[in-house]
Amino acid sequence: MRARAGKWSFVSDQRVQQLQRQVRVKEERIIELETENAILHLKLAEYQEVIGKSSREATKYYFLYNEKQHLQRSIHSTLIQLYQVIQKLKQDIKELHSSSLILVRNYQGQYQDCLSGIVAAIQRTQLYNETLQAYQSRAVLLEQSLQEINEQYQIEKQKRKLLHNSLVELKGNIRVHCRIRPLLPFDNELDDPVLQNSSLCEKVIHAVDDETVLVKCNRPGHPLINKTYNFERVYGPAESQRIVFEEMRPLLISLLDGYNVCVMAYGQTGSGKSYTMLGPYSKDEPALPSECHDDLGIIPRAAEELFRLISENPSRSPRVEVSIVEVYNNEIFDLLAKDSSTLVSGVKRDVITSREGKKELLQLTSESVSSAGEFMNLVTGGLQLRAKHPTWVHADSSRSHLVITATLTAAASPGSAASDQMPLKAPSCPSPPPSVRGERPRAARRASSPGPAPVGPAEPLRQAQARLQLVDLAGSECIGASGVTGLARRETSCINRSLAALADVLGALAEHRGHVPYRNSKLTHFLQDSIGGDAKLLVILCVSPCQKSLAETLQCLGFGTRARRVQRGQAKRRGFPASGKPR
């Protein structure tokens, strides 16, 4: 309304100014005519004076008189017209004045209305500001309360996790984590163009929170079913290698406290097991750690952390020995047993059970290392010899189970039980002729004895051992989906049978059966102490989020659920001096 009043005021002012200009023009015209009239009067006087001087010029003056009369009539007519124009202008001015008064009165009324509206709006704005301030104060209080509740929730959540981990440790359960890899370009690489436009590449696996996995089972011809699985930790696709390792880091402190530790990656081919365990080292030509430190997997990070922890307490520095084996086609091959004439390795070993019921691995080669660099140099060398074969599912598929074992040997703490200490001398076993993978003969280098020699003829210094096993299992896969034939088909069959044997062992342990079928597979026989013994075992389930991998994902999550139900009793220390660090 204020704008409309301003508009009316502007229009009325313009009209008044226009009429005033017209009046000024007319007044100027009147002045000009009056001036002209005065001049004519002067001329008339002159003419009259001339007539008075000479009568002889009467005729001439007669004509002048007629002209004068004609001019006077013309002037009179002009004056009458001018008078009429002036009267009309006066009337217009009166009308304009009246309309201006009306406009002014209307403008004043509108101005008062606008002013009243503005005052009312200001009052409402003040009320709104007061209300807003009250809401803002309340929001601040609510945010503070929410932050306090969230902090309390995080504290309680951490307490619950610690209590849960303590309960898991007391029960001896296997800790199971689940990692969902992100969608990758090869997930859309399907040979069938019809399937490329289908929903097989949709993401159906989701991390609800850091302990829950949601699976959307949307199969053709079946209703949509949502399944949830709970684990000790769930990693979403965006979570980094560092976060995965941070959850595993406390186990390294347990290792230095004398507990056996095993970390195992399980899942189908292409689900990210080797990336999780090795990172860039899983490739044929691994990059330097300094070039891709963010992508380093558990194994290189564990090596760095292990020697960092050892360096913090030089007085109790244990000796670290590394052995690397792979289980290929249900046979165990020592990847550190180098040929005397070539760099080819892969000497076949075997697992036997002594009369005391203890598992022994004959002639397993181990190398002493004193730094993370030496550790990873051995790992890199072993990876170059690991069996790999491209399939339709994965272009660089590992065809064997990789087991890296780091054995820590240190002086036993006083008062430790004899059963927790390592023997004074390693048991001697006859050396069978080595058998190697493939058709080319390979000479096996005699393995170094893992046991230390006595320190002297007096009472020997007892020593204790703790073992860290890092396992990158081969991926399960459907033979039809992988498109393998010949030797690769046999490899796939052996991989699936060994993983099925691992699931059978976990099932037997979970159900507390009298017989646990460890010997059904060389893999389970070799890992018997870690799976069914007193080691702290962490299984990392690696799953693909794609719809096309749903069956393998459900099988993998079912495997993890079965593993969580295993109760093996509390883990046992092996006489190491306590580190004093929280685990």
Side-chain angles (χ1 to χ4, degrees):
M1 295 180 64
R2 181 177 183 181
R4 189 170 62 181
K7 181 178 178 182
W8 278 107
S9 174
F10 177 75
V11 171
S12 62
D13 291 343
Q14 278 190 334
R15 181 61 178 167
V16 169
Q17 292 175 1
Q18 183 181 3
L19 293 176
Q20 289 175 349
R21 284 195 299 269
Q22 292 179 359
V23 170
R24 285 196 297 271
V25 171
K26 297 299 183 180
E27 289 176 350
E28 291 175 356
R29 179 62 179 165
I30 291 172
I31 293 172
E32 291 177 357
L33 292 176
E34 288 178 349
T35 303
E36 185 178 357
N37 187 27
I39 292 171
L40 292 176
H41 279 289
L42 289 175
K43 287 183 179 182
L44 179 60
E46 291 176 357
Y47 292 155
Q48 288 176 353
E49 184 179 356
V50 171
I51 291 171
K53 290 181 179 181
S54 177
S55 59
R56 290 175 297 180
E57 296 178 355
T59 305
K60 181 178 178 181
Y61 289 140
Y62 174 77
F63 289 107
L64 290 176
Y65 174 76
N66 290 335
E67 183 179 355
K68 177 183 176 183
Q69 292 297 323
H70 176 73
L71 182 60
Q72 287 179 346
R73 285 194 296 271
S74 176
I75 292 171
H76 180 71
S77 175
T78 303
L79 290 175
I80 291 173
Q81 291 179 356
L82 182 60
Y83 177 78
Q84 292 175 350
V85 170
I86 292 172
Q87 292 299 321
K88 187 175 185 303
L89 287 176
K90 289 181 178 179
Q91 185 64 30
D92 291 341
I93 291 173
K94 288 181 180 179
E95 293 177 356
L96 179 60
H97 181 69
S98 300
S99 61
S100 298
L101 292 176
I102 295 172
L103 288 174
V104 169
R105 285 195 293 270
N106 293 336
Y107 169 75
Q108 289 177 346
Q110 293 173 0
Y111 173 76
Q112 292 297 330
D113 294 339
C114 292
L115 188 61
S116 301
I118 291 172
V119 171
I122 292 175
Q123 293 175 350
R124 288 196 302 270
T125 303
Q126 291 175 349
L127 293 176
Y128 291 155
N129 287 334
E130 293 175 357
T131 306
L132 179 60
Q133 290 177 358
Y135 283 144
Q136 287 177 342
S137 302
R138 185 178 179 185
V140 170
L141 294 176
L142 290 175
E143 287 180 356
Q144 293 176 352
S145 177
L146 178 61
Q147 185 176 1
E148 293 174 358
I149 293 174
N150 188 47
E151 291 175 354
Q152 187 66 26
Y153 168 73
Q154 294 297 332
I155 294 173
E156 295 298 328
K157 185 178 180 181
Q158 190 66 24
K159 288 181 180 178
R160 188 200 64 78
K161 183 176 287 188
L162 292 174
L163 291 174
H164 176 73
N165 290 336
S166 300
L167 180 62
V168 168
E169 187 170 337
L170 290 173
K171 289 184 177 181
N173 287 6
I174 299 173
R175 304 181 189 187
V176 181
H177 294 183
C178 179
R179 188 179 195 187
I180 305 171
R181 72 160 172 80
L183 288 172
L184 299 175
F186 67 78
D187 290 328
N188 296 322
E189 294 176 0
L190 300 174
D191 294 332
D192 190 345
V194 177
L195 296 179
Q196 290 181 354
N197 299 325
S198 68
S199 60
L200 293 181
C201 299
E202 292 182 358
K203 186 176 179 181
V204 296
I205 315 298
H206 304 274
V208 178
D209 51 40
D210 58 359
E211 294 182 354
T212 308
V213 176
L214 172 65
V215 182
K216 296 182 179 180
C217 302
N218 186 13
R219 295 177 296 172
H222 296 77
L224 175 63
I225 300 176
N226 292 334
K227 294 185 178 181
T228 57
Y229 297 84
N230 294 313
F231 302 104
E232 278 73 27
R233 183 67 165 86
V234 173
Y235 309 99
E239 297 197 70
S240 64
Q241 296 275 70
R242 181 186 60 81
I243 294 176
V244 176
F245 174 73
E246 288 298 326
E247 295 290 336
M248 175 264 177
R249 186 197 295 268
L251 294 178
L252 295 177
I253 301 176
S254 297
L255 174 70
L256 290 177
D257 282 344
Y259 293 92
N260 286 340
V261 173
C262 180
V263 180
M264 180 186 303
Y266 179 95
Q268 72 174 109
T269 299
S271 59
K273 300 181 303 302
S274 295
Y275 176 77
T276 297
M277 296 300 294
L278 293 160
Y281 286 96
S282 61
K283 300 178 182 179
D284 291 335
E285 297 180 357
L288 296 175
S290 59
E291 298 176 356
C292 50
H293 191 272
D294 292 340
D295 291 332
L296 290 179
I298 287 177
I299 293 175
R301 290 177 186 269
E304 291 182 5
E305 180 67 9
L306 175 61
F307 284 97
R308 188 191 69 80
L309 293 173
I310 291 175
S311 66
E312 289 183 351
N313 191 356
S315 61
R316 49 164 292 201
S317 295
R319 185 173 72 255
V320 181
E321 294 178 325
V322 176
S323 62
I324 303 175
V325 302
E326 69 172 348
V327 181
Y328 173 73
N329 286 345
N330 203 31
E331 297 292 347
I332 298 176
F333 293 90
D334 187 350
L335 298 185
L336 294 185
K338 300 180 179 64
D339 190 284
S340 59
S341 59
T342 67
L343 295 178
V344 178
S345 64
V347 177
K348 186 165 73 172
R349 305 298 189 193
D350 204 356
V351 180
I352 66 171
T353 304
S354 64
R355 293 180 180 179
E356 293 81 9
K358 295 182 178 180
K359 173 181 66 64
E360 300 290 346
L361 190 67
L362 291 181
Q363 291 186 331
L364 185 62
T365 305
S366 59
E367 298 283 350
S368 294
V369 294
S370 58
S371 66
E374 294 180 5
F375 188 111
M376 291 311 301
N377 285 338
L378 291 178
V379 172
T380 303
L383 289 174
Q384 302 304 315
L385 303 168
R386 189 180 183 186
K388 295 184 179 181
H389 190 279
T391 68
W392 290 353
V393 179
H394 196 279
D396 192 29
S397 176
S398 300
R399 316 308 293 168
S400 66
H401 310 291
L402 180 70
V403 183
I404 300 172
T405 305
T407 303
L408 277 63
T409 305
S413 59
S416 59
S419 60
D420 292 345
Q421 299 166 0
M422 62 164 291
L424 299 181
K425 186 176 181 180
S428 60
C429 300
S431 300
S435 173
V436 297
R437 178 181 60 199
E439 298 181 355
R440 291 188 299 172
R442 305 173 187 170
R445 179 167 62 88
R446 183 173 181 81
S448 61
S449 172
V455 296
E459 182 179 355
L461 177 64
R462 292 190 177 273
Q463 294 185 331
Q465 286 184 336
R467 185 176 63 250
L468 170 65
Q469 286 188 312
L470 303 168
V471 185
D472 179 20
L473 295 174
S476 60
E477 60 187 35
C478 175
I479 293 179
S482 60
V484 293
T485 58
L487 177 61
R489 184 183 183 92
R490 179 171 179 267
E491 292 171 348
T492 301
S493 179
C494 289
I495 292 171
N496 291 339
R497 284 202 301 270
S498 62
L499 294 176
L502 179 60
D504 291 340
V505 167
L506 292 177
L509 291 172
E511 297 171 6
H512 304 286
R513 299 178 197 166
H515 171 69
V516 181
Y518 290 111
R519 299 191 184 185
N520 285 358
S521 169
K522 293 290 181 67
L523 173 67
T524 54
H525 197 189
F526 179 59
L527 298 177
Q528 177 178 346
D529 292 344
S530 297
I531 300 173
D534 56 3
K536 293 188 176 183
L537 176 58
L538 169 62
V539 177
I540 301 178
L541 306 176
C542 297
V543 296
S544 167
C546 296
Q547 171 72 35
K548 65 180 181 181
S549 304
L550 181 59
E552 291 84 356
T553 297
L554 291 175
Q555 184 273 331
C556 180
L557 297 176
F559 173 89
T561 302
R562 189 181 302 113
R564 291 191 72 201
R565 292 199 294 263
V566 175
Q567 298 182 9
R568 305 169 302 162
Q570 188 173 3
K572 184 169 57 177
R573 290 183 59 212
R574 274 147 181 80
F576 270 46
S579 65
K581 293 179 178 293
R583 294 186 297 278

